[in-house]
């Protein structure tokens, strides 16, 4: 971690804790909404109009895609807080170089430097 990051650690921790709270609230709300729609919506077997069934399915898929993104980000935020406690926060998980402070301020949970993240995304798109 570089010296500039060290002097901003308290603010970065605040950002992470704030984001953690937001994500947990979002996921909780999504859980409630999912439970609610399960209670109210007729089962797909009861829907005879195929268009209705398709619409219903795509709503569910849309919601779970958002929920998956939230869960992924929550895992990143939790991991970043663990690195803060362990004193390894701010170092790239791939190359070990310090992550630029500006990048951490924009994305406090970023586990990799910009270069390694780009390479990681390229690799996971190929997979
Ligand atoms: Zn890196």
């Amino acid at each position: 971690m570089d010296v500039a990051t060290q002097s901003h650690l308290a603010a970065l921790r605040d950002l992470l804790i704030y984001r953690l709270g937001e994500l947990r609230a979002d996921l909780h709300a999504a859980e409630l909404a999912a439970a609610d729609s399960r209670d109210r919506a007729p089962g797909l077997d009861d829907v005879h109009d195929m268009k209705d069934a398709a619409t219903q399915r795509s709503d569910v898929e849309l919601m779970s895609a958002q929920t998956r993104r939230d869960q992924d980000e929550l895992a990143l935020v939790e991991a970043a807080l663990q690195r803060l406690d362990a004193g390894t926060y701010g170092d790239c998980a791939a190359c070990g170089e310090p992550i630029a402070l500006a990048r951490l301020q924009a994305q406090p949970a970023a586990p990799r430097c910009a270069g390694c993240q780009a390479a990681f995304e390229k690799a996971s798109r190929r997979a």
Side-chain angles (χ1 to χ4, degrees):
M1 167 192 338
D2 61 23
V3 179
T5 300
Q6 252 159 24
S7 64
H8 286 81
L9 270 190
L12 289 164
R13 181 188 289 271
D14 283 351
L15 283 173
L16 284 165
I17 288 172
Y18 181 76
R19 191 65 188 134
L20 190 70
E22 274 186 338
L23 286 167
R24 284 190 173 150
D26 280 0
L27 285 167
H28 185 62
E31 226 169 80
L32 291 180
D36 195 43
S37 67
R38 269 198 304 273
D39 286 348
R40 251 196 330 225
L44 286 179
D45 291 343
D46 301 331
V47 181
H48 298 297
D49 186 325
M50 291 309 285
K51 221 161 64 185
D52 275 3
T55 308
Q56 208 171 42
R57 259 200 303 276
S58 72
D59 277 357
V60 168
E61 275 159 20
L62 200 72
M63 193 166 63
S64 61
Q66 174 67 45
T67 301
R68 263 199 304 278
R69 270 198 299 276
D70 281 354
Q71 277 167 343
D72 287 351
E73 196 186 340
L74 184 71
L76 283 179
V77 170
E78 282 174 341
L81 282 165
Q82 274 163 16
R83 289 198 300 277
L84 261 173
D85 287 337
T88 57
Y89 179 79
D91 293 335
C92 174
C95 70
E97 291 295 311
I99 302 171
L101 175 62
R103 174 167 169 76
L104 290 171
Q105 283 173 323
Q107 293 179 52
R112 295 174 196 84
C113 71
C116 292
Q117 183 63 33
F120 175 80
E121 280 170 14
K122 220 169 133 188
S124 55
R125 264 201 305 276
R126 251 202 320 266

